[in-house]
Amino acid sequence: MSNFQSQAADGRHNGDVYRDYTADKNAPSQDTLYTTSNGAPYAHPYEAQRVGENGPLLLQDFHLIDLLSHFDRERIPERVVHAKGSGAHGYYKTTSSLEDLTCADLFKEGKQCPISIRFSTVGGEAGSHDCARDPRGFAIKFRTEEGNWDLVCNNTPVFFLRDPAKFPHFIHTQKRDPATHLSGADDSTMFWDYLSQNPESIHQVMVLMGDRGIPDGFRFMHGYSGHTLKLINKEGKWVYAQFHMKSKQGTKFITQDDSATKSPDHSQKDLYYAIENGDYPGWDVNVQTMTAQEAEDLWAKQKVNVFDLTHVWPQAQFPLRKVGEFYLNENVKNYFAEVEQIAFSPSHLVPGIEPSADPVLQSRLFSYPDTHRHRVGTNYQQLPVNAPRVPYRMANFQRDGSMAFYNQGARSNYLSSIEPIRFQNRAVDLNKTHGHFIGEAVTFLSEIRAEDFNGPRALWEKVFDNGAKERFVKNVAGHMSRCKKEEPIKRQIAIFREVSEDLASRLEKATGVKGYPGISGLRFNGSHNGLSKDSSLRAANGMTDTSSETESNGAPSRGLHAKVNGQ
């Protein structure tokens, strides 16, 4: 075949003629020409072909039919969780090497990489208010030279649950009632019914109903991994780790009363125009670490479980170590392409960072990519905003499917010995990193114990000042006023009583509801009650016993890590 026949007019091979995403994204309207979807120039977007001036339309009018057909399909399903959000691009830089703890290339001193961030509210719909009292999502995509690392965080260090199967049920209570179709703004019954049956949620409730419950925009909040990860160094030794992103702008909050005066898109507007005006927000990246032995000791002596999303690590014992910082200095050009379609997952890890046995984290490792495949498509990671930026040409055997833009050409779609692909030696010995769990299969449900109230009690007694306490009681009582049933309120006040008698008494006065004297006489439908005085009330509703449970309540007990790091 001649050279003329194998090349296009611009000198490229015929099969290589395609539009460049970056060039197209940055092109001004003045440089474009109106066309149909197949690239044919068209005279005017408002025209329609008819039979005469007052006759019916013609089926041959591809422009109109294509326009309407695309319009009918131009939405993808909104996220079930974190539907309302904002995003921007920026860069991360390691300012202090972490090579003693991890072999991740990202954490070598001076290393820098581009990032994208999406902030969000958790429970609301895509059109919900930015100033809702709700946790905030804080997801970061680090485009490292070893692949994308997604650090999927919230603006609170704890969450409402620690048993993974509870997550869909909890989120359902944050949505609209199936009968009335009313949200929590009008009917909070589902919300308090769930919380009053699952007391381990109390730590997050204290945070949510306090001053941190409504941040004054995304720039003025911290981010927390919440989950425990593992960092593995080049010697193969590992430590447990949690990440904290501390806002360089400090933190600000909005009161419940002030929230009604703000724009529904307050946080989006604040973030966008700060970046547009050159006031680039930044965060310090800090890490908390502990050894396997320290994790066992922490449970044995202080009943803090590093696998429990409702617990926090004491910073006095495990201080934050700054490793780097990042800034957001670029707004997106197109919200749908760069924020709505961006997809984060805690299973998107790089060598040197691994998951722990945290059960809620383990469930998210599956759930997040699964929802992206449903919502965006099986090849969601080929979209430009999700695609890795690595210095090597990627190869795998994931081919075809909807929207396979990069289908790896004519390369073999199996492990070929004729045209072999290259392999890189494993940077982490996964056998040593994850190989220390031995046991029988158990059906596990956690138990409410005295230690579950230590963190919430510290917030009430040591962190909240008098003004914060008054606002907290007002926030809770106001939200409870929309609860149609009194029983969940009585039960929830009993849970608050385990935190503080002062708190419970204030809430009884504010709500006019007398709560139960505590939880020792209650049975819960979602958790075993380790504080029950009557053994018949200990097991969760529908269960006859808790014989499968252990003394550790899911924590790393003595001896779990006996063969870890040469111990």
Side-chain angles (χ1 to χ4, degrees):
M1 184 179 292
S2 69
N3 187 57
F4 174 80
Q5 291 174 310
S6 65
Q7 290 188 342
D10 59 3
R12 290 185 289 177
H13 289 283
N14 290 324
D16 293 339
V17 180
Y18 58 90
R19 290 187 298 173
D20 178 80
Y21 171 77
T22 303
D24 179 77
K25 180 180 78 169
N26 294 321
S29 297
Q30 295 87 336
D31 290 350
T32 65
L33 177 69
Y34 184 72
T35 72
T36 58
S37 61
N38 61 307
Y42 200 78
H44 199 280
Y46 293 170
E47 286 183 352
Q49 295 180 26
R50 306 179 63 174
V51 180
E53 294 183 7
N54 54 8
L57 301 177
L58 296 180
L59 184 61
Q60 72 179 29
D61 188 353
F62 169 74
H63 169 263
L64 176 62
I65 291 173
D66 192 48
L67 177 72
L68 294 175
S69 298
H70 188 279
F71 174 75
D72 294 342
R73 296 165 174 82
E74 69 182 21
R75 292 292 182 268
I76 60 177
E78 71 173 39
R79 291 168 169 87
V80 177
V81 196
H82 299 274
K84 177 74 180 293
S86 305
H89 306 302
Y91 67 92
Y92 163 83
K93 183 175 182 178
T94 293
T95 56
S96 181
S97 171
L98 202 61
E99 291 178 87
D100 58 318
L101 297 181
T102 177
C103 60
D105 179 75
L106 171 69
F107 290 127
K108 295 176 180 177
E109 188 161 358
K111 274 287 185 177
Q112 188 167 315
C113 74
I115 64 170
S116 294
I117 289 185
R118 186 178 185 269
F119 305 107
S120 58
T121 50
V122 173
E125 303 152 349
S128 58
H129 205 294
D130 274 1
C131 297
R133 184 169 294 280
D134 196 17
R136 266 61 176 170
F138 194 125
I140 316 161
K141 188 177 292 293
F142 295 86
R143 295 183 175 87
T144 84
E145 294 183 15
E146 296 179 306
N148 288 349
W149 175 41
D150 291 349
L151 188 54
V152 188
C153 308
N154 278 343
N155 74 320
T156 60
V158 293
F159 199 59
F160 296 94
L161 50 88
R162 59 194 177 204
D163 296 294
K166 289 184 178 181
F167 186 78
H169 300 274
F170 169 70
I171 294 301
H172 287 165
T173 71
Q174 311 305 294
K175 303 299 184 181
R176 293 179 178 271
D177 183 275
T180 66
H181 201 57
L182 294 176
S183 72
D186 290 296
D187 186 351
S188 63
T189 307
M190 292 194 302
F191 181 81
W192 290 109
D193 184 37
Y194 174 87
L195 298 178
S196 69
Q197 292 285 354
N198 295 273
E200 71 273 23
S201 62
I202 186 62
H203 199 165
Q204 176 71 305
V205 171
M206 295 292 294
V207 176
L208 178 64
M209 291 297 170
D211 288 342
R212 286 182 283 175
I214 311 179
D216 189 4
F218 297 130
R219 293 186 298 144
F220 300 101
M221 67 183 195
H222 301 321
Y224 303 89
S225 64
H227 292 300
T228 296
L229 300 169
K230 290 180 178 179
L231 299 179
I232 304 95
N233 66 17
K234 60 185 178 181
E235 283 81 35
K237 295 184 177 181
W238 61 263
V239 294
Y240 287 125
Q242 289 202 1
F243 286 87
H244 298 235
M245 277 57 65
K246 296 294 187 179
S247 170
K248 290 178 177 289
Q249 297 74 237
T251 59
K252 295 182 182 180
F253 69 91
I254 299 173
T255 66
Q256 192 68 46
D257 292 338
D258 287 345
S259 67
T261 69
K262 301 295 183 180
S263 160
D265 299 314
H266 171 74
S267 300
Q268 163 71 12
K269 183 167 62 175
D270 175 77
L271 178 68
Y272 183 89
Y273 285 108
I275 296 174
E276 199 72 4
N277 295 330
D279 184 12
Y280 303 136
W283 285 261
D284 290 328
V285 178
N286 303 274
V287 62
Q288 260 186 311
T289 63
M290 72 171 72
T291 66
Q293 186 61 55
E294 286 173 326
E296 293 182 11
D297 292 342
L298 189 63
W299 171 253
K301 298 176 181 178
Q302 297 168 248
K303 297 305 180 189
V304 175
N305 180 358
V306 299
F307 298 153
D308 188 338
L309 188 52
T310 69
H311 286 191
V312 295
W313 299 5
Q315 290 192 26
Q317 293 172 252
F318 306 98
L320 298 183
R321 170 179 169 180
K322 181 179 175 181
V323 60
E325 57 190 20
F326 59 80
Y327 293 89
L328 298 179
N329 61 356
E330 180 186 339
N331 278 316
V332 303
K333 289 292 197 302
N334 184 278
Y335 182 91
F336 180 85
E338 300 168 64
V339 179
E340 188 65 16
Q341 290 194 133
I342 198 169
F344 301 89
S345 172
S347 54
H348 294 165
L349 300 167
V350 294
I353 306 172
E354 291 290 322
S356 75
D358 177 333
V360 181
L361 171 61
Q362 290 279 319
S363 70
R364 294 174 74 208
L365 299 177
F366 161 76
S367 181
Y368 277 60
D370 187 57
T371 197
H372 300 325
R373 295 183 189 103
H374 155 70
R375 197 178 71 87
V376 184
T378 188
N379 289 305
Y380 71 95
Q381 296 206 77
Q382 292 189 25
L383 291 171
V385 73
N386 296 321
R389 301 182 189 176
V390 292
Y392 41 82
R393 190 178 299 281
M394 296 162 50
N396 54 48
F397 305 109
Q398 296 182 18
R399 305 291 180 92
D400 307 343
S402 178
M403 311 299 278
F405 299 108
Y406 304 99
N407 215 31
Q408 305 186 48
R411 298 186 290 278
S412 297
N413 64 351
Y414 70 101
L415 190 58
S416 170
S417 61
I418 302 170
E419 295 179 333
I421 62 175
R422 294 183 294 112
F423 298 95
Q424 181 170 291
N425 289 334
R426 196 190 308 277
V428 171
D429 187 338
L430 297 181
N431 295 338
K432 291 182 179 179
T433 303
H434 300 297
H436 55 274
F437 296 102
I438 300 174
E440 299 177 351
V442 298
T443 52
F444 181 83
L445 180 63
S446 68
E447 180 178 76
I448 303 305
R449 299 184 181 178
E451 61 265 14
D452 293 321
F453 301 97
N454 292 339
R457 188 176 300 115
L459 280 177
W460 179 257
E461 296 179 349
K462 299 179 181 179
V463 178
F464 291 2
D465 59 21
N466 289 333
K469 289 180 178 179
E470 291 176 4
R471 289 188 293 272
F472 180 88
V473 171
K474 182 180 179 181
N475 292 338
V476 172
H479 202 276
M480 283 181 168
S481 69
R482 301 191 293 276
C483 181
K484 300 286 178 26
K485 304 289 185 180
E486 192 172 276
E487 179 66 13
I489 299 176
K490 294 167 67 176
R491 297 176 67 93
Q492 189 64 42
I493 289 176
I495 296 171
F496 281 122
R497 182 161 274 118
E498 299 293 342
V499 175
S500 164
E501 178 60 44
D502 172 49
L503 170 55
S505 298
R506 293 192 192 200
L507 282 170
E508 287 176 330
K509 182 178 180 179
T511 61
V513 177
K514 180 67 175 178
Y516 292 116
I519 71 169
S520 63
L522 299 180
R523 185 174 185 176
F524 299 103
N525 69 14
S527 302
H528 301 313
N529 186 358
L531 299 182
S532 62
K533 293 180 178 178
D534 183 343
S535 60
S536 67
L537 298 176
R538 182 173 183 265
N541 286 3
M543 303 183 74
T544 57
D545 63 67
T546 59
S547 58
S548 66
E549 316 309 337
T550 65
E551 180 60 31
S552 69
N553 208 24
S557 54
R558 293 288 194 194
L560 177 70
H561 305 94
K563 296 182 179 180
V564 174
N565 295 340
Q567 295 178 5

